[in-house]
Amino acid sequence: MGYELTDHSRIDDVVAQTTRLTNAAFADYEGAMEVDESWTEWYLQRPGTEPELCQVALDGDTVVAQVLVCAQPLQLGDGVLDCAIIDGVATHPEHRRQGLARQLMERAHEAMKERELAASVLYTNPEDHPYEFYRRLGYRERARGSLLVGPRPEGNRCAAEEVDATEHGGALRDLINDYYTGWEGFHPLDEAIWQWHRLDPPVGPATVVAELAGSGAVSTVSFAHANLKLRTRTQAVAVAYDMAATVMNEDQVRSLLSSAPTEYVAMLVDNEAPERRWAESVGLQKQVSEVAMVLPLGREASTALEDHDPLWYVMVESVIGV
């Protein structure tokens, strides 16, 4: 079967095609969610998502495989490097085992090098077959994390409350950026990412909870709404992310998670982070494993990965898409 390999700049109806392919390819994947065109349109506006980096395979005029790529600065080793984040590697079930994923990944890597990006980063389930596929392409496992899900814990909801993410964005970004400084995989929050991720999601602005003190913030967490496929059911959850505090402990985690706007809450976290232990202690349980993998594209990234192995910031928008 003949396929045309190209990029998003050549696709007129990219939103409709990406939506259709994403739902077909991930229909049976635990931890995934069904998407609509409003979600896809928003997701493709993610800062750093460039049409020339996103690769597709066409069967006639139909997109049957894709690799979505976003360019963002990420913490790797002791510094921040310009990296590519690979999202949405998908092949339609009727077109698998044709070598399309490998060809599109190779095209994506070449586009990254032309863009002079330092490394490629992706997430996958280490218990599924794509993990070995990425290893064969040269990706190195850097950290393991988990998707934790459970009932919203009971707690003291007085200290933190929902706040205006526009009015207090600067103070909250400062707290989050300070908290995750040194965590590999973290992308420092700027105004563009904050606008896209907190204020513009298609299901409505994220619920942002914080304890404020003067012009600053003492603690914060954001919640995104998602219907996740979990084993035999689809569960509506509030996905907690960018949890930060001047002093973090089990009581703080309980307090912040108790502010979730839905009955069930989910959280992605590095297995080695104390936040995982605290989240489990308040009732969240592991549902899905995730692994962060890195492909150095040059000496700078290779050197950065040699002598530094801190905690990893699991990027919720790349794992779940919220």
Side-chain angles (χ1 to χ4, degrees):
M1 188 178 294
Y3 297 96
E4 179 185 358
L5 306 184
T6 185
D7 60 48
H8 270 187
S9 66
R10 296 276 308 279
I11 310 300
D12 294 331
D13 55 345
V14 66
V15 170
Q17 296 249 31
T18 301
T19 303
R20 179 195 59 81
L21 176 58
T22 298
N23 286 329
F26 297 117
D28 298 324
Y29 276 66
E30 188 174 6
M33 66 178 187
E34 187 173 354
V35 303
D36 58 22
E37 290 190 12
S38 65
W39 176 91
T40 302
E41 183 175 19
W42 166 76
Y43 202 78
L44 293 178
Q45 293 172 354
R46 181 181 183 182
T49 300
E50 302 173 8
E52 292 76 15
L53 289 174
C54 299
Q55 307 298 315
V56 297
L58 296 173
D59 179 22
D61 294 327
T62 302
V63 175
V64 296
Q66 68 180 17
V67 174
L68 304 182
V69 182
C70 174
Q72 285 186 358
L74 297 181
Q75 179 82 31
L76 282 183
D78 290 322
V80 176
L81 303 179
D82 288 331
C83 296
I85 307 163
I86 288 190
D87 292 331
V89 180
T91 303
H92 193 281
E94 296 177 1
H95 296 268
R96 289 173 179 162
R97 296 182 173 83
Q98 305 293 322
L100 294 177
R102 175 178 287 276
Q103 293 178 70
L104 293 182
M105 289 289 286
E106 291 172 348
R107 285 176 56 91
H109 294 157
E110 289 303 314
M112 294 171 196
K113 292 174 183 177
E114 291 179 7
R115 179 74 162 64
E116 297 185 344
L117 299 175
S120 176
V121 176
L122 59 81
Y123 294 89
T124 192
N125 186 332
E127 299 165 6
D128 285 344
H129 65 275
Y131 174 75
E132 289 301 329
F133 166 69
Y134 296 129
R135 282 176 58 90
R136 291 194 295 271
L137 289 175
Y139 283 81
R140 310 175 188 175
E141 179 177 329
R142 191 62 174 169
R144 291 207 176 199
S146 297
L147 172 65
L148 309 175
V149 181
R152 178 180 57 210
E154 296 294 330
N156 180 4
R157 301 180 62 178
C158 298
E161 59 185 6
E162 186 173 349
V163 299
D164 187 325
T166 301
E167 179 181 356
H168 300 288
L172 299 177
R173 289 198 305 273
D174 287 346
L175 176 62
I176 295 166
N177 286 336
D178 288 346
Y179 189 81
Y180 289 104
T181 293
W183 288 50
E184 285 196 329
F186 179 64
H187 56 102
L189 297 181
D190 58 19
E191 290 187 13
I193 293 175
W194 187 261
Q195 177 73 31
W196 174 78
H197 206 190
R198 299 307 194 286
L199 307 179
D200 292 341
V203 296
T207 299
V208 180
V209 172
E211 179 184 357
L212 303 174
S215 60
V218 174
S219 66
T220 186
V221 66
S222 296
F223 295 100
H225 299 271
N227 293 314
L228 299 185
K229 297 170 185 175
L230 300 173
R231 298 175 184 171
T232 60
R233 72 187 193 281
T234 297
Q235 180 70 59
V237 300
V239 183
Y241 61 98
D242 284 350
M243 180 182 290
T246 53
V247 177
M248 187 67 79
N249 52 39
E250 182 181 328
D251 288 340
Q252 187 67 270
V253 169
R254 180 186 296 275
S255 177
L256 290 170
L257 292 181
S258 72
S259 301
T262 59
E263 182 180 354
Y264 279 83
V265 63
M267 186 174 174
L268 282 158
V269 64
D270 187 320
N271 286 347
E272 302 303 319
E275 285 83 352
R276 172 176 177 168
R277 183 177 70 255
W278 295 327
E280 290 179 326
S281 71
V282 302
L284 275 62
Q285 297 181 349
K286 175 186 172 183
Q287 296 291 321
V288 184
S289 296
E290 290 292 338
V291 60
M293 306 187 79
V294 181
L295 174 67
L297 298 174
R299 184 184 298 266
E300 186 177 22
S302 294
T303 301
L305 297 176
E306 286 177 357
D307 56 1
H308 200 60
D309 189 18
L311 296 175
W312 185 276
Y313 170 90
V314 185
M315 192 174 288
V316 65
E317 59 266 41
S318 289
V319 178
I320 299 179
V322 296

